[in-house]
């Protein structure tokens, strides 16, 4: 599965790297692409993670999704 999340708090490459590392550590996440200009995060994942889990982690690390 793949989902795109709008994340207004993305401002720079450091933000992107933090998101990539944190989401990449979730069991089931296979790919994370962050677009700083569009303030979006594309996540490819399988079970056991789901969109709610991804949203929860984004909020926990200070990058809540709209």
């Amino acid at each position: 599965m793949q989902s795109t999340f709008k994340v207004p708090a993305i401002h720079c490459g450091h933000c992107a790297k933090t998101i990539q590392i944190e989401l990449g550590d979730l069991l089931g996440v296979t790919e994370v692409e962050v677009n700083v200009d569009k303030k979006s995060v594309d996540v490819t994942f399988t079970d056991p993670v789901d969109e709610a889990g991804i949203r929860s982690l984004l909020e926990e690390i200070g990058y809540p999704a709209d």
Side-chain angles (χ1 to χ4, degrees), residues 8-26:
I10 297 172
H11 297 290
C12 64
H14 181 267
C15 297
K17 188 67 173 173
T18 298
I19 291 168
Q20 287 175 322
I21 290 170
E22 294 290 336
L23 289 182
D25 284 346
L26 277 178

Side-chain angles (χ1 to χ4, degrees), residues 8-61:
I10 297 172
H11 297 290
C12 64
H14 181 267
C15 297
K17 188 67 173 173
T18 298
I19 291 168
Q20 287 175 322
I21 290 170
E22 294 290 336
L23 289 182
D25 284 346
L26 277 178
L27 182 63
V29 171
T30 58
E31 187 176 1
V32 179
E33 292 184 32
V34 180
N35 185 313
V36 175
D37 294 331
K38 293 183 179 179
K39 297 185 181 295
S40 67
V41 180
D42 294 325
V43 184
T44 304
F45 58 95
T46 61
D47 288 334
V49 74
D50 59 13
E51 286 189 20
I54 294 167
R55 285 181 181 281
S56 177
L57 181 58
L58 284 168
E59 187 166 338
E60 183 179 314
I61 63 172

Side-chain angles (χ1 to χ4, degrees), residues 1-12:
M1 298 176 72
Q2 183 177 20
S3 291
T4 300
F5 301 88
K6 294 293 182 184
V7 183
I10 297 172
H11 297 290
C12 64

